[in-house]
Amino acid sequence: MRKRKKVKEEDYTYLYHHLPARPLKYVKDREGYGWLCDKGVDPMRDLRNQGCWRCDEMAFPTGGR
């Protein structure tokens, strides 16, 4: 059996010619909508003003609220 080497960011960048995404997290607001946000956002503050994207407004399926 061959040993598998752990893939590093440098390998990914070389193979696919772009950097991986920045750290993100999924947050639900009080109305139940899902938001995709940068990792350091405050979920108690306005998510849109912090640069988050509401998932139902994005062009990919999210599985509902």
Side-chain angles (χ1 to χ4, degrees), residues 1-2 4-5 7-9 14 17 20 26 29 31 34-35 37 39-42 47 50 53 56-57 62 64-65:
M1 183 180 263
R2 290 187 338 202
R4 290 189 181 209
K5 164 177 130 173
V7 177
K8 296 181 281 189
E9 183 177 314
Y14 171 76
H17 306 292
Y26 177 81
D29 67 14
E31 287 81 38
W35 294 78
C37 302
K39 188 177 178 183
V41 300
D42 180 351
L47 296 170
Q50 294 182 79
W53 303 279
D56 67 318
E57 297 173 349
T62 61
R65 309 198 225 176

Side-chain angles (χ1 to χ4, degrees), residues 1-64:
M1 183 180 263
R2 290 187 338 202
K3 277 189 168 182
R4 290 189 181 209
K5 164 177 130 173
K6 185 175 180 180
V7 177
K8 296 181 281 189
E9 183 177 314
E10 303 84 48
D11 298 333
Y12 182 87
T13 303
Y14 171 76
L15 291 172
Y16 298 103
H17 306 292
H18 62 81
L19 292 172
R22 63 187 187 259
L24 300 173
K25 70 178 178 180
Y26 177 81
V27 177
K28 274 198 172 185
D29 67 14
R30 292 181 191 123
E31 287 81 38
Y33 290 103
W35 294 78
L36 192 58
C37 302
D38 287 317
K39 188 177 178 183
V41 300
D42 180 351
M44 295 298 152
R45 292 182 40 223
D46 186 292
L47 296 170
R48 191 176 308 275
N49 285 337
Q50 294 182 79
C52 299
W53 303 279
R54 203 167 96 180
C55 293
D56 67 318
E57 297 173 349
M58 298 176 75
F60 64 82
T62 61

